[in-house]
Amino acid sequence: MDTSAEPPDLRALLAHERPLRALCRALVQSASDGDDLAQETWLAALRRPPERAPRAWLRRVARNLAARHERSAARRARREA
């Protein structure tokens, strides 16, 4: 891990909190799952902060995490069937 990298500008990221949470809830159809997805997205942002365009980056990360969750749920349903 590169420790010389600049820390993320938390204020700039948090300016996108409301739209990100709304997107996450819409992606997973459940408020609680949406909150979990938003939390995972924020963790990703803290681990590897976006270099530019934080809103687009956050949206893409949320969509990728939601798709991963869907694939995982589909595999679990097939195993259990």
Side-chain angles (χ1 to χ4, degrees), residues 24-31 33-34:
C24 290
R25 287 181 175 178
L27 287 171
V28 294
Q29 310 295 324
S30 162
D33 288 343

Side-chain angles (χ1 to χ4, degrees), residues 17-39 41 62 66:
E17 194 272 332
R18 279 185 154 171
L20 175 66
R21 187 167 300 278
L23 171 67
C24 290
R25 287 181 175 178
L27 287 171
V28 294
Q29 310 295 324
S30 162
S32 62
D33 288 343
D35 290 342
D36 291 344
L37 178 59
Q39 223 173 18
T41 305

Side-chain angles (χ1 to χ4, degrees), residues 2 24-25 28-29 44 48-49 58 64 72-75 78 81:
D2 185 13
C24 290
R25 287 181 175 178
V28 294
Q29 310 295 324
R48 293 194 105 177
L58 289 167
N64 289 343
S72 176
R75 284 192 301 268
R78 283 193 305 269

